[in-house]
């Protein structure tokens, strides 16, 4: 089984390359001249996209093919007071450059919209805001020229005092989305509310692929081992395709991996990622899984990835073959 490792948004090793530089609405209003303020927003966004491209080049040099974009590429993009602003025309060339680099190097990229994007909500105004946020993320991926293999990963959301009803509402509200939004979604289990079993059921009902977070599953489960769910999770990825030149190929399933921050804070994310229990999970599924991508959610970002690769190199006499700087083969 081929395993590719990726990381989230920021690099620890590439200096002065934040893709998330921002501006508050208060600062925007202080400028006084609205057009000048908008031009400044667009300059910040262009810098964020330039830094994203720098990170992608760093990733290519380090053999990293899996990466999650920052959702904050365009400051204030979804703010209600800027609903008349369309930043994509001014940023078209910047987005295209990022997308062309992704496609040329066959990278797997995604977004993870913020926690306020919840489709289980009973409040119409929150649902509208959540859908607008998904439209914003879709628009960024479209501006990059990326197909539906570039996903937006979400959680089910809150229970609102009745988890069963909230889960049903999530299924109904996802099913009502435009196909252009729905086809870009993946669904992840969370660490407090909707566990992996419940999330898998929602995936079966909506047709969304499931991203298994093995850290979340460890702190929020029904007694099952994560690999016991894997055959059904793997089924949710059937039919998902990634464009590879002029040929479609299956899109590998994706999981999230992180390590607990401490005994007192088992849900928090540590600086790095311990080789166990990730390696145990991978060994349990290697016999019937061809490929898998692993998004590392660690505080030290790419440095954590490099540290985990060093740990995996120590397992080369124990069924692990290092393929390059960010991928390994796990022997069944």
């Amino acid at each position: 089984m081929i395993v590719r490792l990726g990381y989230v948004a920021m690099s620890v090793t590439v200096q002065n390359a934040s893709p998330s530089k921002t501006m508050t609405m208060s600062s925007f209003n202080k400028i006084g001249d609205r057009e000048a303020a908008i031009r400044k927003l667009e300059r910040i966004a262009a810098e964020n996209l330039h830094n994203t491209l720098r990170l992608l080049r760093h990733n290519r040099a380090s053999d990293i093919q899996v990466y999650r974009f920052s959702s904050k590429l365009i400051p204030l993009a979804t703010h209600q007071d800027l609903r008349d602003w369309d930043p994509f025309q001014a940023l078209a060339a910047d987005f295209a450059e990022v997308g062309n680099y992704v496609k040329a190097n066959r990278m797997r990229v995604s977004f993870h919209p913020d926690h306020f994007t919840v489709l289980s909500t009973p409040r119409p105004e929150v649902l509208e805001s959540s859908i607008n946020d998904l439209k914003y993320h879709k628009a960024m991926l479209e501006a990059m020229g990326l197909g539906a293999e570039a996903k937006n990963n979400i959680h089910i959301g809150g229970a609102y005092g009745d988890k069963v009803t909230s889960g049903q509402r999530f299924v109904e509200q996802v099913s009502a989305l435009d196909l252009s939004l729905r086809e870009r979604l993946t669904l992840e289990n969370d660490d407090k509310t909707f566990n992996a079993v419940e999330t898998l059921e929602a995936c079966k009902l909506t047709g969304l692929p499931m991203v298994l977070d093995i850290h979340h599953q460890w702190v929020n489960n029904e007694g099952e081992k994560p690999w016991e769910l894997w055959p059904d999770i793997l089924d949710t990825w059937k039919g998902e395709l990634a464009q590879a030149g002029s040929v479609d190929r299956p899109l590998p399933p994706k999981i999230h991996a992180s390590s607990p921050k401490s005994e007192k804070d088992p849900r928090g994310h540590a600086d790095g990622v311990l080789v166990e229990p990730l390696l145990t999970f991978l060994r349990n599924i290697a016999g019937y899984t061809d490929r898998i991508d692993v998004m590392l959610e660690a505080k030290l970002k790419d440095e954590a990835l490099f540290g985990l690769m060093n740990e995996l190199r120590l397992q080369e006499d124990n069924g692990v073959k290092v393929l390059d700087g960010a991928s390994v083969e796990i022997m069944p």
Side-chain angles (χ1 to χ4, degrees):
M1 178 178 71
I2 306 300
V3 182
R4 301 188 300 181
L5 303 180
Y7 70 98
V8 176
M10 308 284 287
S11 170
V12 172
T13 57
V14 181
Q15 299 300 306
N16 301 313
S18 171
S20 305
K21 295 180 180 179
T22 190
M23 178 194 290
T24 65
M25 199 64 205
S26 175
S27 298
F28 179 92
N29 289 330
K30 286 178 182 177
I31 293 175
D33 184 329
R34 182 177 172 83
E35 286 304 311
I38 286 176
R39 298 292 86 78
K40 184 172 183 179
L41 282 179
E42 291 171 350
R43 287 195 299 273
I44 295 172
E47 184 176 357
N48 286 340
L49 288 163
H50 172 71
N51 283 340
T52 298
L53 189 60
R54 289 177 61 201
L55 294 177
L56 293 176
R57 288 171 174 152
H58 159 66
N59 293 350
R60 182 176 182 273
S62 304
D63 303 317
I64 299 169
Q65 294 181 289
V66 182
Y67 176 71
R68 182 191 300 168
F69 292 125
S70 166
S71 287
K72 299 177 180 179
L73 294 177
I74 309 176
L76 303 177
T78 59
H79 198 284
Q80 287 191 341
D81 293 343
L82 288 168
R83 283 176 292 182
D84 61 333
W85 172 46
D86 179 5
F88 288 98
Q89 183 175 357
L91 297 168
D94 303 278
F95 272 108
E97 190 174 15
V98 170
N100 288 338
Y101 195 86
V102 167
K103 288 182 287 186
N105 293 284
R106 297 185 179 182
M107 294 177 170
R108 182 176 190 170
V109 294
S110 61
F111 282 111
H112 196 335
D114 289 333
H115 64 277
F116 55 77
T117 302
V118 286
L119 298 178
S120 64
T121 178
R123 297 171 56 190
E125 70 276 15
V126 175
L127 178 61
E128 181 182 6
S129 176
S130 298
I131 293 174
N132 285 338
D133 195 53
L134 292 178
K135 289 178 178 177
Y136 158 62
H137 284 83
K138 181 192 73 150
M140 288 192 289
L141 293 170
E142 288 179 342
M144 295 177 193
L146 302 178
E149 71 274 6
K151 302 293 188 182
N152 294 318
N153 185 60
I154 61 171
H155 297 278
I156 292 177
Y160 303 100
D162 185 344
K163 187 158 69 167
V164 172
T165 299
S166 293
Q168 292 170 342
R169 188 166 51 242
F170 173 85
V171 170
E172 293 169 0
Q173 294 180 163
V174 164
S175 300
L177 293 174
D178 289 344
L179 176 61
S180 63
L181 293 176
R182 199 167 65 247
E183 69 182 358
R184 287 194 183 271
L185 292 181
T186 57
L187 189 60
E188 176 191 353
N189 55 303
D190 68 64
D191 60 348
K192 292 184 178 179
T193 309
F194 287 94
N195 62 36
V197 172
E198 294 161 335
T199 302
L200 177 57
E201 181 61 24
C203 287
K204 291 178 179 179
L205 293 171
T206 58
L208 300 184
M210 179 172 168
V211 173
L212 175 66
D213 189 307
I214 60 174
H215 183 180
H216 290 173
Q217 192 275 338
W218 176 65
V219 297
N220 182 22
N221 62 71
E222 298 181 10
E224 78 284 348
K225 301 295 185 184
W227 50 85
E228 293 172 349
L229 300 176
W230 189 249
D232 284 345
I233 293 173
L234 198 55
D235 281 345
T236 69
W237 288 91
K238 287 183 177 177
E240 293 293 329
L241 297 174
Q243 189 72 21
S246 60
V247 180
D248 286 334
R249 57 185 169 88
L251 185 65
K254 182 194 284 187
I255 67 168
H256 290 175
S258 53
S259 295
K261 185 175 182 180
S262 66
E263 289 186 13
K264 292 183 179 179
D265 184 12
R267 287 181 167 85
H269 290 178
D271 287 346
V273 178
L274 298 173
V275 72
E276 294 289 354
L278 173 60
L279 189 52
T280 294
F281 171 79
L282 295 174
R283 283 177 169 146
N284 272 279
I285 68 169
Y288 59 97
T289 307
D290 293 330
R291 306 178 69 88
I292 189 171
D293 292 336
V294 182
M295 181 63 69
L296 303 180
E297 297 184 316
K299 297 296 184 183
L300 288 182
K301 307 296 184 179
D302 52 342
E303 188 173 305
L305 187 157
F306 300 140
L308 180 59
M309 282 299 302
N310 288 336
E311 292 295 318
L312 289 168
R313 288 185 181 93
L314 299 177
Q315 300 289 328
E316 285 200 275
D317 293 330
N318 196 20
V320 176
K321 179 182 179 181
V322 173
L323 301 178
D324 57 32
S327 64
V328 298
E329 183 176 1
I330 306 295
M331 308 302 174

